[in-house]
Amino acid sequence: MALNREEREQFLAEPHIAALAVDAEPQRAPLTVPIWYQYAPGGDIWIMTGLDSRKNKLIQAAGRFSLMIDRLEPTIRYVSVEGPVIDTVPATIEKLREISARYLPAEKVDEYVDFAWKSHGEQVVVHMRPERWVSSDLGTV
């Protein structure tokens, strides 16, 4: 059964790992990789990635990407969302802290942020406006 707007937005707002997909070069399948993301119901989605990464270059060339998020318990549920890139800005340590706190235990955030800020190279925050949704709750098996 498809999720209603409130259900799918709430599900997307939970801290799941997403599969990001973006068009790739000719003769290549779309790039599909796991990624952390941030979302609040009714808003835009943002991700953080390396400025010079293949992922960012493909996103900028395509101008859009999709995320697919799923879970297996307590029911099998998924949300897929696709939309245009509406902004790309330099990452800040505050944004890195925000997204890290969404996924890591509180006691691990400072250490990870310090490590990532020093070692991951220049990062960008890419904002996507949700435009098309596919969702379902398949119940339990």
Side-chain angles (χ1 to χ4, degrees):
M1 173 178 287
L3 303 177
N4 65 38
R5 179 179 179 163
E6 182 179 317
E7 290 170 326
R8 71 184 186 213
E9 288 185 349
Q10 182 56 46
F11 183 74
L12 190 62
E14 297 169 2
H16 303 285
I17 304 295
L20 178 144
V22 62
D23 282 339
E25 303 89 355
Q27 306 303 313
R28 298 278 308 260
L31 174 68
T32 306
V33 294
I35 196 162
W36 290 353
Y37 68 93
Q38 182 62 289
Y39 176 75
D44 297 324
I45 297 168
W46 62 266
I47 61 165
M48 187 177 293
T49 190
L51 174 65
D52 295 325
S53 68
R54 179 171 180 244
K55 182 182 343 160
N56 187 48
K57 289 175 183 174
L58 291 173
I59 289 170
Q60 298 309 315
R64 62 190 314 108
F65 63 93
S66 63
L67 296 177
M68 196 286 296
I69 300 92
D70 67 343
R71 72 162 195 221
L72 300 177
E73 294 178 352
T75 61
I76 300 170
R77 179 176 277 199
Y78 72 88
V79 169
S80 178
V81 60
E82 177 227 339
V85 172
I86 58 167
D87 199 13
T88 302
V89 297
T92 64
I93 199 163
E94 291 80 14
K95 286 291 191 189
L96 177 57
R97 185 171 308 285
E98 178 183 339
I99 203 162
S100 299
R102 178 174 162 88
Y103 290 95
L104 299 174
E107 68 274 9
K108 300 286 186 181
V109 171
D110 288 340
E111 181 180 353
Y112 175 78
V113 168
D114 185 55
F115 162 78
W117 193 251
K118 291 176 182 172
S119 16
H120 287 172
E122 191 171 357
Q123 301 281 303
V124 292
V125 174
V126 181
H127 295 261
M128 180 254 276
R129 175 154 301 126
E131 191 174 77
R132 292 186 181 91
W133 299 77
V134 178
S135 64
S136 185
D137 190 324
L138 305 174
T140 58
V141 178

